Amino acid sequence: RIFAGAVNGGDLVAAPWSPDPGLDAGDGRAAAEFVWAALDCPSYFAFRTERLPAVLGRITGDVTERPKIGENCVVAAWPIEIDGRKKRSGSALYGDDGRLLAQARATWIELKAPLVS
């Protein structure tokens, strides 16, 4: 539930994220699945659209380092391409000192409008 917003009116969206103690993998760091979730949510908001909802088709990337529990991180995302209902975006997670922790590319599929009779 990371709701990224526009940064200075450009294509970039970003949001703060600090891993809660409930996300601990047992080593004082956020479990990998939560890092992936942090990359996922903002990649949808990169399109900043009031159009139809979309579903995640695929996400690929690299997690170089999992953030420490309580670390003040920033997650950012940007649009890469729109091809009809298919949308591609990138996302990145940065640690409190600006180091890149993880990055990903996502493909979103916009749902078709329901038929109205």
Side-chain angles (χ1 to χ4, degrees), residues 1-103:
R1 295 190 49 101
I2 299 173
F3 299 99
V7 176
N8 296 329
D11 285 343
L12 186 70
V13 296
W17 180 57
S18 181
D20 181 87
L23 307 181
D24 195 331
D27 60 358
R29 294 184 177 271
E33 60 266 28
F34 300 115
V35 176
W36 281 103
L39 292 168
D40 170 27
C41 291
S43 70
Y44 171 81
F45 291 105
F47 301 104
R48 292 184 288 148
T49 180
E50 297 297 323
R51 297 180 62 188
L52 299 170
V55 294
L56 181 65
R58 168 180 268 183
I59 188 168
T60 60
D62 295 304
V63 176
T64 306
E65 180 183 346
R66 294 177 292 120
K68 296 175 190 164
I69 296 301
E71 183 172 359
N72 293 316
C73 300
V74 172
V75 61
W78 54 93
I80 294 173
E81 176 186 33
I82 297 176
D83 180 15
R85 293 187 306 122
K86 189 182 296 184
K87 302 175 178 189
R88 292 181 184 87
S89 59
S91 58
L93 176 65
Y94 299 93
D96 59 5
D97 60 358
R99 72 195 182 286
L100 179 64
L101 301 175
Q103 58 188 336

